């Protein structure tokens, strides 16, 4: 049942993104940033937690989950460190994902031999 819930939540997020691409003039990069900001706002308000608990990986893997992770990290760090947690919490919470993205992007660049246009 967890797979079905993850599929429904992740699929709904993807459907919203596809509708935005098809029906608006927004570029995909702006939609991606909007999803991260939306996840951060919903996480800060505490509204993304029920979505994450229901959808599991379907809610944490998309970009809205990244924004939620940033917000959650900031809130936890502010509780433990204070004001400086605003600057360190998000990066500390998302460090693993950011590091993986950089490493895999580098490895892909080595394998695919990218060229300038």
């Amino acid at each position: 049942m967890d797979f079905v819930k993850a599929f429904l939540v992740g699929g709904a997020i993807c459907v919203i993104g596809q509708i935005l691409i098809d029906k608006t003039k927004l570029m995909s990069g702006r939609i991606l940033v909007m999803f991260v900001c939306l996840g951060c706002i919903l996480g800060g308000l505490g509204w993304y937690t029920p979505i994450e608990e229901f959808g599991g990986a379907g809610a944490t893997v998309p970009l809205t989950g990244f924004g939620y992770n940033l917000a959650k990290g900031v809130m936890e760090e502010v509780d433990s460190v204070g004001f400086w947690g605003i600057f360190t919490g998000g990066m500390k919470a998302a460090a693993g994902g950011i590091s993986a993205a950089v490493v895999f992007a580098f490895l892909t660049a080595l394998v695919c031999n990218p060229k300038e246009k």
Side-chain angles (χ1 to χ4, degrees), residues 5 9 42-43 45-56 59 68:
K5 290 179 183 178
V9 172
L42 292 176
L45 294 173
W47 297 349
Y48 203 80
T49 304
I51 298 170
E52 186 231 355
E53 289 172 355
F54 176 80
Y68 166 69

Side-chain angles (χ1 to χ4, degrees), residues 23-61:
K23 301 294 181 185
T24 67
K25 293 185 183 211
L26 291 171
M27 301 297 291
S28 58
R30 291 184 179 179
I31 294 170
L32 297 176
V33 170
M34 185 174 66
F35 274 4
V36 172
C37 292
L38 181 65
C40 194
I41 291 168
L42 292 176
L45 294 173
W47 297 349
Y48 203 80
T49 304
I51 298 170
E52 186 231 355
E53 289 172 355
F54 176 80
T60 57
V61 172

